[in-house]
Amino acid sequence: MNIEKDIEKELREWERKILKRSPLYKRAAKRVQGQINRRIPEKVHTAVTNAIRNMVKATLFSNEYTTKKPAVAGKKLEERDELLLERKKAYKKTAMVEGAGTGAGGILLGLADFPLLLGIKMRFLFEAARIYGFDTRDHQERIFLLHVFLLAFSSDEVRRETYLAIKNWEETKHKWPSKETMNDDYDWKTFQITYRDHIDLVKLLQMVPGFGAIVGAYANYNLLDQLGDTAMNCYRLRFLQEKKG
């Protein structure tokens, strides 16, 4: 059995899912969510905005999320998948515990959940890159990480655009400026708006004391699961493309 052929088939199915328009009920939910967002206290929006901006800057310019472990070499794709699934399982548990803890504290700790969860997500992505053999000391690899993050949490239009950028990464990466010439602020507003739109009613309920602990644990667990699936398929795609030259 050619395992890579099976993985390529899974990637084609994933592509169809990525490019497919969201179901009507999800699009309707987004409109309702827009109305909810307008009623959210400004300090919540400010907290999310600042968290996103700081996450993007840390991803691009600092060593906050990097690991001292070298990129994994000499393993088959299916072995890398197994390693990634193991790490995803561990990170999901971490996110669940963090969500339960902040959810138990009401709105103040609920606000603290946003940067904490972002940190967990980015550390996972840096580790995913390492598992598939990509060196995150490379500035372009960090930009790729941000694309993976955006793909996992975006609207139909942004998702399709981001997926095509990832699929054609050899062309996409040359369109980005170098680390030395890139504007320090980057385009973090895109991430802020897109990510905020995915803070749905479930995450808002996390701010309800007591009840929020259960909701926070559930939401964070599933958000990491969603990110994990996206990261695995993105890096599978990159791995196979580079193997084929």
Side-chain angles (χ1 to χ4, degrees):
M1 180 184 295
N2 190 325
I3 296 179
E4 286 192 3
K5 290 292 183 182
D6 291 338
I7 292 175
E8 288 177 346
K9 181 180 178 181
E10 291 176 10
L11 286 173
R12 288 193 294 271
E13 293 173 353
W14 176 64
E15 179 180 76
R16 285 194 289 271
K17 180 180 177 181
I18 289 292
L19 298 179
K20 185 178 179 181
R21 194 179 186 191
S22 294
L24 182 60
Y25 76 89
K26 283 192 175 182
R27 282 179 272 141
K30 287 298 177 186
R31 289 193 291 270
V32 173
Q33 188 174 323
Q35 297 174 357
I36 294 173
N37 277 338
R38 289 191 286 272
R39 292 177 171 80
I40 296 174
E42 187 57 34
K43 64 179 179 180
V44 174
H45 288 304
T46 300
V48 176
T49 298
N50 290 337
I52 289 288
R53 181 179 60 219
N54 292 334
M55 179 272 286
V56 171
K57 287 184 177 181
T59 300
L60 290 174
F61 303 111
S62 81
N63 295 319
E64 181 176 343
Y65 303 120
T66 54
T67 174
K68 294 181 180 179
K69 297 179 181 179
V72 175
K75 288 189 178 293
K76 296 179 180 179
L77 181 54
E78 59 267 27
E79 294 175 316
R80 297 174 190 272
D81 287 349
E82 290 176 4
L83 286 174
L84 192 281
L85 291 173
E86 289 176 6
R87 297 310 298 146
K88 184 178 80 166
K89 185 177 180 180
Y91 273 85
K92 282 164 63 176
K93 289 182 179 178
T94 300
M96 182 174 65
V97 171
E98 186 273 319
T102 54
I107 190 166
L108 292 178
L109 285 181
L111 288 175
D113 173 67
F114 298 127
L116 290 173
L117 181 59
L118 282 173
I120 294 171
K121 288 177 176 178
M122 295 315 298
R123 287 184 177 86
F124 170 77
L125 285 179
F126 270 79
E127 191 155 354
R130 183 186 70 83
I131 287 172
Y132 285 93
F134 297 101
D135 188 353
T136 54
R137 291 175 297 180
D138 186 332
H139 184 61
Q140 290 179 330
E141 290 302 330
R142 295 184 177 213
I143 294 175
F144 185 83
L145 279 176
L146 293 175
H147 279 74
V148 175
F149 179 90
L150 189 60
L151 182 64
F153 309 108
S154 57
S155 63
D156 286 354
E157 294 75 16
V158 174
R159 186 172 65 251
R160 284 191 288 270
E161 180 182 343
T162 306
Y163 172 72
L164 292 175
I166 287 172
K167 185 177 182 180
N168 301 293
W169 186 247
E170 286 303 308
E171 297 176 13
T172 301
K173 68 181 183 182
H174 297 300
K175 299 176 182 179
W176 291 87
S178 66
K179 182 177 181 179
E180 290 72 24
T181 59
M182 177 173 275
N183 187 315
D184 188 35
D185 284 335
Y186 187 51
D187 187 17
W188 58 266
K189 289 183 179 179
T190 298
F191 285 84
Q192 179 260 321
I193 294 169
T194 303
Y195 189 71
R196 186 188 67 190
D197 286 349
H198 277 76
I199 300 171
D200 54 19
L201 186 58
V202 173
K203 289 297 289 180
L204 296 178
L205 288 174
Q206 182 179 336
M207 297 183 185
V208 179
F211 180 64
I214 299 173
V215 176
Y218 171 82
N220 284 10
Y221 185 90
N222 282 281
L223 287 171
L224 253 295
D225 190 55
Q226 180 179 344
L227 180 63
D229 288 346
T230 303
M232 185 171 76
N233 285 315
C234 287
Y235 281 110
R236 280 172 151 186
L237 187 62
R238 284 276 310 281
F239 185 90
L240 290 173
Q241 286 179 339
E242 295 206 357
K243 183 177 180 180
K244 293 177 180 179

